[in-house]
Amino acid sequence: MTEPPAPETTDEPAASSNFIQDRIQADLDAGTYGGRVHTRFPPEPNGYLHIGHAKAIATNFELAARNGGRCNLRFDDTNPETEEQHFADGIVEDMAWLGYVAEDDPKYASDYFGQLYAWAEDLIDQGLAYVDDQDAETISQQRGGYGQPGVESPNRDRSPEENRELLRRMREGEFDDGSRVLRAKIDMQSDNMHLRDPVLYRIRRAPHVRTGDDWAIYPTYDWAHGQSDAIEGITHSLCTLEFDSHRPLYDWCLQQLELPFERPEQIEFARLELTHTVTSKRKLRKLVEDGDVDGWDDPRMPTLRGLRRRGYPPAAIRAFVDHIGLARTNSTHDIELLESFIRTELNRTALRRMAVLRPLKVTITNWPDGEVVLLDAVNNPEDPSAGTRQVPFSGQLWIEQDDFKLDPPPKYFRLTPGREVRLRAGFFITAQNAVTDDDGRVVEVLCTYDPETVGGSAPDGRKVKSTIHWVSAAHAVDATVNLYDRLFTDAHPGADGRDPLDSLNRHSREVLTDAKLEPSLAEVSPGQVVQFERLGYFAADLDDPRVFHRTVGLRDEWANIQKRNQNQAKQKQQAKQRKQRS
Ligand code: ATP
Ligand code: MG
């Protein structure tokens, strides 16, 4: 069987111009940051990275590199209850696997708690922040809504002295969680809800992984983020579109402060979303906690560690992210497009091997008793430098159950009594007979072989209609092979306010425990991806190389989707023309 054609990669208009690069170039031209370009990737260490983060990582690092700048990794560790050190360590590891390592050591927002506090006092002194004693619910109600007036807090006009003193006591842990907050004093009638006296500090009397019991108050995202950017000298603070409405607050905070560098600018881009996929750490965490998957690194997870175990090459993920480009509107990409990148890369790099997943025994009745021959097989037709290997052939083989049928349906060209087929890199064989068990199931196929056809062609020029793969029974290596289906049956899990877990595919994994591999696969290294001929690409498990995960099948489903879309467009066009004529 031949490899399907490599997918087209010019199917969609890649983001026409990279609008962020244009902004950076404009700043460079204008000398806004004295020629500096400094970005950052700011994950919260409350889970592991997913495929969406790959886009944010690549965007930040690639733009910095392209402009001779730097990119920081900064942990946004401002929620002590949900954050854990092993997540932070895992994030560094996963980024390195993807191909990105920050030049400097990882930074932590918690390193800046002292400076953030001092700046909060500055706001208080300027009459721009106050401690509010109202509870969260009251504050939220008073915020009003779009077209609805906000209500000013009765605590809004406290003196700077009183505010400083209360904030100090909040910090010392004198008050209960949720009993007080520090708010910026901006505008309770603003059309932008984020400017209606947003909360800057909340009380959480919880120990923090890095700062221990030093703090009983923690900054909100809006207070921590822009100020951390400013401390690090970030020039372009890239984030996803949902932060668009936070930008005026981002700017407001920075405008009130004495900064060590020029003020950074926030620029938003579209999230990466994929069909049949959930990219929310909270929801992924739930899958893990509920035991719906084996862990954050389950090969069905869209986490970087899941994709890694699944066998996704990091280069293919990078190529995919680059291909979809940067846009200012959200959209969801077909997961088949990502898979086509995986397939293209693996087609180039993966060694071809033979493996039988659901074995059926074949006995070659005219094979010399006990004889074993070594046959040459090509390692990768796409890469001549990969050379060949030797595969043992003997009188008893395994083939796929599907490759033999006693009563073949029409157009079935594989093995059936009286039919001759080619064994990959081997001989022509003809099925003579089949042995069945009491239930009528075929348990063994008796075949003859033609010694003249070694290597797969007949000297008399006769043709066969199919080639099947096989493994010598005496030499086979036993393995377990996991086949995967979509984790979510719905293309848009969670759309229209539904719970994404409603469309969780309860049959997303099929475990085949009786697979037979050609002997060279005994030496596969953990994580190595090979092509099982005719079946797909499979990754040896990272911990147990006798377990394989199907990375992706061989069929280019993306090409089919494109063809279908083209046909639909054509039909629509024709219908329109018919209508115009009539
Ligand atoms: P959650 O998944 O829990 O909603 P999050 O994805 O926002 O959280 P963070 O750790 O805060 O998690 O994300 C770090 C950075 O990655 C942020 O700048 C965020 O904008 C970006 N990011 C997160 N998800 C995506 C995505 N799907 N596509 C592109 N960038 C993303
Ligand atoms: Mg976030």
Side-chain angles (χ1 to χ4, degrees):
M1 194 172 130
T2 54
E3 188 68 22
E8 277 273 319
T9 49
T10 50
D11 33 72
E12 295 183 350
S16 49
S17 80
N18 176 344
F19 69 99
I20 302 182
Q21 175 60 33
D22 294 347
R23 286 276 293 274
I24 292 175
Q25 191 56 53
D27 285 328
L28 287 172
D29 293 345
T32 316
Y33 299 102
R36 288 189 312 114
V37 173
H38 205 152
T39 59
R40 85 288 167 268
F41 171 63
E44 190 179 347
N46 62 349
Y48 290 103
L49 300 175
H50 53 63
I51 181 77
H53 292 116
K55 176 173 177 179
I57 295 166
T59 300
N60 279 292
F61 277 86
E62 298 290 351
L63 282 169
R66 182 168 164 186
N67 294 287
R70 298 170 85 79
C71 179
N72 290 359
L73 164 61
R74 182 201 317 142
F75 291 108
D76 172 28
D77 57 343
T78 52
N79 287 309
E81 286 109 329
T82 54
E83 295 162 1
E84 295 167 38
Q85 189 59 41
H86 69 96
F87 287 133
D89 297 339
I91 286 170
V92 173
E93 222 175 87
D94 290 350
M95 285 173 63
W97 173 76
L98 187 62
Y100 299 101
V101 178
E103 269 175 69
D104 298 327
D105 284 343
K107 319 259 182 219
Y108 290 84
S110 56
D111 292 341
Y112 313 137
F113 282 173
Q115 177 66 68
L116 294 176
Y117 187 86
W119 273 339
E121 289 186 322
D122 281 357
L123 287 187
I124 288 175
D125 292 346
Q126 296 177 65
L128 293 175
Y130 61 97
V131 172
D132 196 343
D133 306 346
Q134 305 182 102
D135 60 31
E137 199 184 328
T138 311
I139 291 175
S140 160
Q141 268 167 10
Q142 290 176 349
R143 184 161 285 138
Y146 191 73
Q148 278 178 299
V151 176
E152 295 190 352
S153 162
N155 303 126
R156 206 168 189 258
D157 293 316
R158 279 184 160 142
S159 70
E161 293 69 33
E162 191 185 358
N163 280 318
R164 262 182 179 261
E165 180 60 10
L166 282 170
L167 183 62
R168 186 191 61 74
R169 293 174 59 196
M170 280 167 62
R171 171 187 176 161
E172 300 299 327
E174 278 188 39
F175 306 119
D176 288 342
D177 283 16
S179 62
R180 281 180 170 78
V181 290
L182 181 75
R183 298 176 72 179
K185 188 168 168 180
I186 309 180
D187 178 4
M188 285 307 289
Q189 308 312 330
S190 174
D191 282 347
N192 183 321
M193 293 307 125
H194 297 291
L195 294 180
R196 293 192 178 183
D197 290 10
V199 172
L200 306 182
Y201 273 104
R202 51 215 171 4
I203 303 174
R204 288 276 181 290
R205 295 188 303 174
H208 183 283
V209 179
R210 292 175 59 85
T211 59
D213 294 322
D214 290 355
W215 297 85
I217 55 173
Y218 291 93
T220 54
Y221 172 88
D222 288 313
W223 182 240
H225 205 85
Q227 284 50 252
S228 300
D229 284 344
I231 292 168
E232 292 176 11
I234 300 305
T235 56
H236 300 85
S237 182
L238 315 181
C239 61
T240 36
L241 282 177
E242 66 270 26
F243 292 103
D244 178 76
S245 59
H246 292 246
R247 187 167 7 101
L249 177 55
Y250 180 97
D251 290 340
W252 182 91
C253 291
L254 292 170
Q255 274 156 7
Q256 318 311 322
L257 306 171
E258 197 76 56
L259 303 176
F261 297 97
E262 302 87 348
R263 203 163 1 110
E265 57 192 293
Q266 176 184 305
I267 307 172
E268 309 85 21
F269 61 90
R271 292 172 70 85
L272 163 56
E273 302 285 1
L274 290 172
T275 54
H276 300 283
T277 307
V278 156
T279 49
S280 147
K281 269 187 287 181
R282 196 169 43 78
K283 290 169 192 155
L284 294 176
R285 176 196 281 264
K286 185 151 171 30
L287 290 175
V288 174
E289 284 172 355
D290 292 355
D292 290 321
V293 292
D294 287 347
W296 287 94
D297 61 353
D298 185 302
R300 291 166 293 181
M301 289 283 271
T303 52
L304 295 187
R305 21 198 69 204
L307 299 178
R308 177 185 186 183
R309 194 175 283 272
R310 178 85 174 247
Y312 276 36
I317 298 177
R318 294 197 302 267
F320 166 72
V321 166
D322 182 56
H323 170 78
I324 61 175
L326 291 170
R328 280 264 335 158
T329 41
N330 281 321
S331 65
T332 303
H333 293 275
D334 287 311
I335 185 141
E336 291 84 355
L337 175 61
L338 169 59
E339 288 172 341
S340 75
F341 276 83
I342 305 305
R343 199 176 290 114
T344 301
E345 173 74 9
L346 291 175
N347 181 41
R348 219 167 45 75
T349 57
L351 298 178
R352 274 51 169 176
R353 293 291 181 259
M354 289 198 282
V356 173
L357 303 189
R358 297 176 182 88
L360 170 63
K361 183 172 283 178
V362 164
T363 299
I364 313 283
T365 53
N366 59 338
W367 185 260
D369 218 19
E371 190 166 312
V372 176
V373 296
L374 294 174
L375 300 169
D376 281 328
V378 172
N379 279 330
N380 184 354
E382 302 291 321
D383 176 12
S385 74
T388 59
R389 68 190 183 285
Q390 293 199 308
V391 190
F393 188 97
S394 65
Q396 286 215 312
L397 312 172
W398 297 114
I399 64 165
E400 296 290 344
Q401 290 167 15
D402 262 1
D403 284 340
F404 176 82
K405 288 219 186 311
L406 213 42
D407 299 308
K411 297 201 177 150
Y412 183 86
F413 298 119
R414 290 169 275 168
L415 213 49
T416 185
R419 165 93 43 80
E420 186 171 50
V421 302
R422 177 189 295 107
L423 292 177
R424 187 100 174 133
F427 299 91
F428 285 8
I429 59 169
T430 306
Q432 306 295 351
N433 221 331
V435 181
T436 52
D437 65 9
D438 294 345
D439 301 325
R441 276 183 317 183
V442 177
V443 292
E444 185 179 357
V445 184
L446 306 177
C447 298
T448 52
Y449 86 113
D450 176 356
E452 300 297 316
T453 57
V454 62
S457 58
D460 63 7
R462 75 181 188 277
K463 298 272 183 261
V464 289
K465 281 207 164 140
S466 72
T467 301
I468 64 175
H469 61 274
W470 53 276
V471 171
S472 166
H475 305 89
V477 174
D478 291 324
T480 293
V481 173
N482 295 314
L483 303 181
Y484 298 108
D485 196 354
R486 306 281 177 230
L487 187 52
F488 294 93
T489 51
D490 200 334
H492 303 277
D496 310 324
R498 277 168 294 152
D499 183 349
L501 296 182
D502 290 349
S503 76
L504 189 69
N505 181 3
R506 301 280 165 192
H507 308 283
S508 55
R509 175 169 60 191
E510 185 180 0
V511 183
L512 303 172
T513 53
D514 197 22
K516 307 290 181 187
L517 315 180
E518 68 165 78
S520 70
L521 285 168
E523 265 119 65
V524 76
S525 44
Q528 189 183 342
V529 185
V530 295
Q531 184 191 103
F532 290 171
E533 300 235 19
R534 299 175 65 224
L535 299 173
Y537 295 96
F538 292 77
D541 188 67
L542 294 167
D543 300 315
D544 180 356
R546 288 298 158 82
V547 173
F548 283 79
H549 308 285
R550 182 163 66 190
T551 311
V552 64
L554 292 177
R555 203 177 36 226
D556 185 5
E557 287 158 335
W558 175 243
N560 293 341
I561 289 178
Q562 282 173 282
K563 239 179 258 154
R564 201 173 58 217
N565 290 347
Q566 278 163 6
N567 285 342
Q568 276 169 0
K570 207 157 125 196
Q571 277 165 10
K572 245 194 212 151
Q573 180 72 20
Q574 286 167 345
K576 206 164 132 196
Q577 283 167 353
R578 270 198 303 275
K579 210 163 160 200
Q580 280 167 351
R581 275 197 299 269
S582 66

